[in-house]
Amino acid sequence: MKEGKAFLKSKMKWVGLVGLVLSVFSLFVHFLLARFTEDGFSEYQSSITIFSWRPVFEATDLSRTSPLYRRLWGPVGQLESLHPHANPKGYYADPSAQSNGYIFVRIQGGFHEIRSSICDVVAVSRFLNATLVVPEIQQTTSKKGISSQFKSFAYLYNEETFMAALVKDVNIVKTLPKSLKSARRNKEIPVFRVPYAASPYYYLHNVLPILIKHSVVELVVSDGGCLQAILPPDLEEYQSLRCRVAFHALRFRQDVQDLATNILHRLRAPGRPFIAFDPGMTRDALAYHGCSELFQDVHAELIQHRRAWMRKRGIIKGQLSVNSAKQRLKGSCPLTPEEVGILLRAYGYSWDTIIYVSGGEVFGGQRTLIPLHGLFENVVDRTSLSTSWELSRIYGREANLDESYPRAPPSAQVETKLDAWKNSGPRPRPLPPPPARPKTYNIEGWWGWVAESDNEPESTVVELRTNAHKLLWEAIDYTVAVEADVFIPGFDSDGKGHPNFASLVMGHRLYQSAASKTYRPDRKEVVRLLDQIHGHIYHANHSWLTSIRRHMRSSLVDGLIEASNKSKSSSLLSHPVPECSCLRPNPSETLSNASTPSVHLQVHAALGVVHRCPAWMDGEKNLSSNEKDNEEDIDENDPSSSRLFLQHAGSHDAGGEDINLKEESQFEDQEEDGGD
């Protein structure tokens, strides 16, 4: 009996041991699978990940054929005749096999500066009959611990696609020949720090002779554009070339493009359209325009510190202290996320509309976006629509490295003070010197203290890597914003008074699909309207809502015309009309509605569009004239959309005002139709 029990215990021990071994083996296999089958695992995990975005929608189903849907999401009828056309419009020869030499380019700056500069240097290379070396697209990254991949063209864009798309425009090579490489390494080739928006004749008279003499020149582009936006009429084909570069040749590298596509799929999964919003509230832009008083405490100090830094370097020629309230009234400051949210709600977008916040980090952090979250339930960005491992995969091999390089030893002066304190006489002795304050300061940050010197502290290795990653973040946001159903900017100027990220998005949307809804609100007028209800901003009356809707609707076309007239000279990519567009009137338009064609012709004349689209475009499907007429006559003051804003503000009498709203709407609609 005892032997049987001992045998049973021994057997159970062996079973337990075998089970333990199998468990360890199973865990080991799972770790191997997670380590070496990352692609398959990521596809599986992406299908079961619960994102921080949990969409909440009301039960009402807004039909795509309803007037309200077409007013909020439908195309802009007056711009439907504009179509992209960046092909050569006349005789256009292939690049010459015998070039005048090589142009090596280093581009410094952020996402929008890099994109604009690449288009300009391609046009300059064609103009000078030179061979372009694929540009370096990062600021200098010669610091210890920074990989050279962060300044390579391929870190952001698809190099092969870029070269293949421009094979009939300019000769492009990946690197300089070996002999010229060594000459550049020894700093034996001429270098030009190109001025912003230089004329073609600058290159013809200054750069070309040196290029022919030395067979190579290096261009340093730092201000986001090295060729003027408007070229003489005889250089019309160079404008089309710049559009081909920006809208066809520049494709983001494949894994970045794939992640942006996945985010787009997740945005459209609920089956609803969405709005892309770019706040444009960067520290440089706020400092340049003197808008520090939009914030409080350390935020205002950080902006003023940056403004002082910019004045010291000649970027700003005005006074250090600027009245931010006056700047805001002039429309020189960005619209805050709360102000943009109020505009959208007042126009008729419901509380459950999906809003994608794009354009990189917002100065002030997430607290700046809290009012927008209060107005709209579904405010998202790339971080809420993707996982951390999806983002980390596109960063490269240095993404997870810590700042582990050795710290600098304390200065000799500090050691002397410590020795003097230790060797001083009997107590009471003076207090020891305080420890050195770390000079950690981020250009785009909102950290808890301001640097004590006038100079910006030198960026650390981690900050330099983060700046490189920001290019990828903005590439994802750029793709999503261009494809959005509606786009609205908070600001359209950067920290040097040049077009910013939002400007490039609006230009790309204008080229790709001119009729897509892109609001361009007049900030001066918006501030005036918002100040009218400053004391009761969430309980607006009907006449104020009507004024907002009229302004928002007019910004779709009038805002485009005004921007084209005022800021066309700043950037071609922000306003690629008429150089890169053509006119294809709808053949079904008749004189049955004479007002519609005349309005369209006035818009086309204001934009300067004269080129007719080639014949092969005529086969594409057009909207019927009835559809267009309906879009132009949409009820601008729909009472149901009025209640959307009032209900969210907690107004319980909104339902009782239906009859009055309808009567006012009918009267105002008649007034509006008569005005058109």
Side-chain angles (χ1 to χ4, degrees), residues 147-163:
S147 171
S148 60
Q149 69 169 337
F150 287 160
K151 62 179 180 179
S152 69
F153 185 91
Y155 182 71
L156 182 59
Y157 292 110
N158 190 316
E159 199 173 71
E160 302 298 332
T161 301
F162 176 75
M163 297 177 67

Side-chain angles (χ1 to χ4, degrees), residues 55-97:
V56 179
F57 300 113
E58 60 185 3
T60 56
D61 183 19
L62 190 60
S63 172
R64 291 178 177 271
T65 59
S66 67
L68 180 58
Y69 185 93
R70 292 201 305 274
R71 177 166 70 85
L72 298 178
W73 306 104
V76 182
Q78 297 176 17
L79 300 176
E80 283 190 313
S81 298
L82 296 180
H83 292 267
H85 183 53
N87 293 334
K89 298 176 177 61
Y91 173 74
Y92 190 78
D94 290 343
S96 173

Side-chain angles (χ1 to χ4, degrees), residues 584-590 612 618 620-623 625 628:
R584 182 167 65 92
N586 188 356
S588 62
E589 286 179 349
T590 62
R612 293 294 298 265
D618 294 338
E620 296 182 1
K621 184 178 179 180
N622 283 303
L623 289 174
S625 59
K628 285 188 177 183

Side-chain angles (χ1 to χ4, degrees), residues 527-561:
V527 169
R528 185 187 70 81
L529 290 171
L530 290 175
D531 285 350
Q532 289 179 1
I533 60 166
H534 180 71
H536 48 92
I537 197 165
Y538 292 105
H539 298 275
N541 56 44
H542 181 66
S543 61
W544 183 84
L545 292 173
T546 302
S547 300
I548 286 290
R549 293 189 188 120
R550 286 179 174 173
H551 177 73
M552 290 288 284
R553 182 181 176 181
S554 67
S555 74
L556 295 169
V557 177
D558 296 344
L560 171 62
I561 295 173

Side-chain angles (χ1 to χ4, degrees), residues 10 26 207 229 234 308 355 357 431 515 522 556 582 618 632 660 671:
S10 176
S26 176
V207 179
D234 58 324
I355 297 184
V357 180
L431 293 175
D522 182 350
L556 295 169
C582 62
D618 294 338
E632 297 301 324
N660 294 333
E671 191 180 43

